[in-house]
Every structure is written in structure tokens, then in C-alpha cells.
Amino acid sequence: RKEVEQDPGPFNVPEGATVAFNCTYSNSASQSFFWYRQDCRKEPKLLMSVYSSGNEDGRFTAQLNRASQYISLLIRDSKLSDSATYLCVVNYRGGGYNKLIFGAGTRLAVHP
Amino acid sequence: GAVVSQHPSWVICKSGTSVKIECRSLDFQATTMFWYRQFPKQSLMLMATSNEGSKATYEQGVEKDKFLINHASLTLSTLTVTSAHPEDSSFYICSARDPAGGPSSYNEQFFGPGTRLTVL
């Protein structure tokens, strides 16, 4: 089983749509959670951290359910510029490690 | 945010040659840098954690003699792919943490723009 699992997509949505991405992680000792965005042939860039209380940044809302080991990202009012791959990322600290584990990403394509 | 650069951005080499990739933190000192590899349509896979002044920590399955890491200063880590073969063709990305960024950024990593390696 992969440590971080995501639906690979692609999600093809029209502009203005609301789209939700899900992610599950296997290591209950994971401590921090993030969503990164990666454009084609580019490095990943931090979109937002994810907190247990849920957090919002403009059109983006992230949720974390530690009991279910489940993370979500909601994008409202999709823009063409939102087209990218969204990576669910978990930070694991333990056994002398402090490292990020990446999901394979969910691809989003927003069309006019 | 903190800036990380990589050089070169792309490289094409013949099979059997060695390739060195540099990763620099431009506006902060990084005691720890990370090297990732990403194959097409796959996730970033951590190869190794580079520690300034000490040996790198390699992930399981990554050959330390093939992927040489040197972290000689607080702003520079290098990855050398020795005797590269076509299967080593990939997107190599480094990242670094800014230890002075405070508790809220403790786990955040800043990524370089990546190096695309093609081995013929």
C-alpha cells in the first residue's frame, strides 16, 4: 500500500466549477499535512498547509481528518489557471527522520 | 519565501558518463537539503537527505555509490549521478528547509526548479 494515495484523475471541469480532491495516508504518526501544486515540468509549490480545524485560503479549502487519515482539498469557482497537478503531502517525523512523503498527484484540467 | 536554485536546469549526456547537479539556497543557510527524483506521471520520490558536514542519509533502494551527495557548505549540496544510464533519465529536484523560518515553517521545504536529465 502506498503511504499517500490520491485519485490520479484527470478531473476535467468547466470554469466556475467546484472540484474536490481526496487523499489518504497510511502512517498514523504523520504530523503535518500539505497540498502542493505542480505545473507541467516544474517544481512543486506549496499551496497550503492543512490543519485539523480546517483552513481556507480564498477559493481553496483544506480539511484533515486524523481519525480517518484523510485529507481533502476543495477548489471553488475554478479558473483556467488552476489547471495543474495537486500533490497531497505528508510530513513524517520519527526514527531520526523528518521528511515529506508525496502522493502521486491528482491532475486538474479546467476548460472554458 | 526562501529561494533555492539548481544548476543545470537540463542536461543530456552519454551513457557511462557522470553528471553533477548543484542545489543552492540563495537567501538562507540550509543545514539539511533533500534530493528527489520524479519519473513521468509519478510522484516525487525522496532519494536522500543531505546533511551539511556529515554523510547523507539514503532512502531504501537508492545506491549511495551511484548517487554521490556532497553538502560541503550551508548553501550548497551537490548530487553526482555516476556512470549514468538511460534508466537514470528523470527529473531531479532538490529542496531545503529554512531553519530560521520559525516554528510555522519548520516542516516547509522550498524546492529548486529541478534538473531534467536525459541519458542517451
Side-chain angles (χ1 to χ4, degrees):
Chain A
R1 183 185 173 188
K2 293 180 182 177
E3 292 186 80
V4 179
E5 294 210 55
Q6 295 182 249
D7 182 340
F11 283 56
N12 294 299
V13 303
E15 278 187 285
T18 295
V19 60
F21 302 140
N22 302 320
C23 169
T24 57
Y25 60 96
S26 61
N27 193 328
S28 59
S30 302
Q31 299 177 328
S32 304
F33 309 88
F34 309 91
W35 283 100
Y36 277 74
R37 169 192 170 132
Q38 186 175 26
D39 292 287
C40 188
R41 303 173 82 85
K42 299 284 189 180
E43 77 277 21
K45 295 189 177 179
L46 180 64
L47 180 65
M48 59 196 304
S49 300
V50 188
Y51 304 112
S52 296
S53 55
N55 49 300
E56 186 175 306
D57 183 1
R59 297 181 294 108
F60 300 85
T61 301
Q63 296 276 356
L64 166 65
N65 185 323
R66 285 186 184 268
S68 303
Q69 295 179 199
Y70 169 90
I71 307 163
S72 67
L73 176 68
L74 184 75
I75 304 176
R76 291 182 298 278
D77 189 22
S78 299
K79 311 291 185 189
L80 294 175
S81 57
D82 293 334
S83 298
T85 297
Y86 291 83
L87 307 173
C88 178
V89 184
V90 171
N91 189 86
Y92 171 63
R93 294 174 64 188
Y97 282 102
N98 183 355
K99 59 184 181 181
L100 297 181
I101 308 296
F102 284 78
T106 300
R107 196 155 60 88
L108 172 66
V110 182
H111 57 81
Chain B
V3 179
V4 175
S5 71
Q6 270 183 254
H7 177 81
S9 55
W10 60 269
V11 57
I12 301 173
C13 69
K14 292 182 179 179
S15 185
T17 61
S18 294
V19 176
K20 180 186 282 189
I21 303 170
E22 294 185 349
C23 177
R24 293 181 186 274
S25 55
L26 298 186
D27 51 0
F28 66 101
Q29 294 183 327
T31 53
T32 304
M33 291 184 173
F34 303 87
W35 287 98
Y36 295 84
R37 180 168 54 182
Q38 186 177 34
F39 292 107
K41 298 187 178 180
Q42 295 187 25
S43 63
L44 275 75
M45 296 300 296
L46 180 65
M47 298 175 68
T49 302
S50 171
N51 304 298
E52 189 268 337
S54 65
K55 291 183 180 180
T57 303
Y58 288 81
E59 295 299 301
Q60 192 173 9
V62 177
E63 299 174 58
K64 59 182 67 177
D65 294 330
K66 180 169 180 65
F67 299 99
L68 302 178
I69 291 173
N70 184 287
H71 194 154
S73 78
L74 287 171
T75 58
L76 173 64
S77 175
T78 61
L79 169 69
T80 301
V81 183
T82 62
S83 187
H85 291 284
E87 58 265 30
D88 297 323
S89 299
S90 187
F91 190 46
Y92 291 85
I93 309 175
C94 73
S95 71
R97 287 200 176 99
D98 180 1
S104 63
S105 66
Y106 178 71
N107 294 318
E108 182 176 358
Q109 292 183 18
F110 299 94
F111 286 84
T115 297
R116 194 159 300 278
L117 171 63
T118 302
V119 184
L120 303 176

